[in-house]
Amino acid sequence: MTLATEVKKLTDSKPFYAVAGVGDYAVEKLRELPEQLQRLQSRRAELAKELPEKARVYAGKAEGFAKEFPEKAREYADQFTSRATEVYEDFAARGRKIVSQASGQAALELEEVSEAAEPPVAQKVQPKKPATRTAKAAKA
């Protein structure tokens, strides 16, 4: 199989687009990270003061959570499956958009490169007429 055929098969697959979408999403979130870290740094002292009280509240609720856990786990698994499917579809759609933008730009660049690299068109060369003996004799 040719490379073009393999690339075509790859770019026609939904997992390919999902991975491209995940990559684009990751870049977007990483760009937001410094701002989020600054916000959390400013709230660090406030959060540290609230921690002991929150720990007591959650410790009191732990027994109730343990009893409900098997039923809740099934519900969460069902919700997770549904949500994962939605997210996968969203990432695939996002990936298609990113890949189409990138491939459109790449196609334009490739066209420019191919035009610049195109060899000049050969001109038809007129064969030279061999010198006749009479012309040589006249010169001598």
Side-chain angles (χ1 to χ4, degrees), residues 126-132:
Q126 295 293 329
K128 290 184 180 179
K129 293 183 179 179
T132 60

Side-chain angles (χ1 to χ4, degrees), residues 17-72:
Y17 290 112
V19 168
V22 166
D24 182 56
Y25 181 78
V27 167
E28 179 183 309
K29 292 303 171 186
L30 285 172
R31 287 186 177 143
E32 295 172 2
L33 194 59
E35 182 182 319
Q36 289 177 352
L37 286 174
Q38 280 183 331
R39 269 190 269 129
L40 288 174
Q41 287 284 341
S42 65
R43 292 188 52 216
R44 182 176 40 186
E46 177 185 328
L47 292 172
K49 290 177 186 175
E50 296 173 0
L51 189 59
E53 180 61 32
K54 285 187 177 185
R56 281 190 285 279
V57 169
Y58 288 127
K61 293 180 179 181
E63 188 176 335
F65 287 139
K67 289 179 183 175
E68 297 173 0
F69 183 74
E71 184 180 325
K72 290 286 186 185

Side-chain angles (χ1 to χ4, degrees), residues 5 16 27 30 70 99 133:
T5 305
F16 172 77
V27 167
L30 285 172
V99 169
R133 291 185 180 235

Side-chain angles (χ1 to χ4, degrees), residues 1 7 20 26 37 59 112:
M1 267 187 232
V7 169
L37 286 174
E112 291 171 3

Side-chain angles (χ1 to χ4, degrees), residues 132-140:
T132 60
R133 291 185 180 235
T134 56
K136 287 185 179 177
K139 288 183 182 177

Side-chain angles (χ1 to χ4, degrees), residues 1-14 16-17 96 99:
M1 267 187 232
T2 65
L3 179 61
T5 305
E6 291 297 318
V7 169
K8 178 81 171 130
K9 282 185 356 187
L10 176 67
T11 58
D12 284 344
S13 69
K14 189 179 280 187
F16 172 77
Y17 290 112
R96 281 187 206 283
V99 169

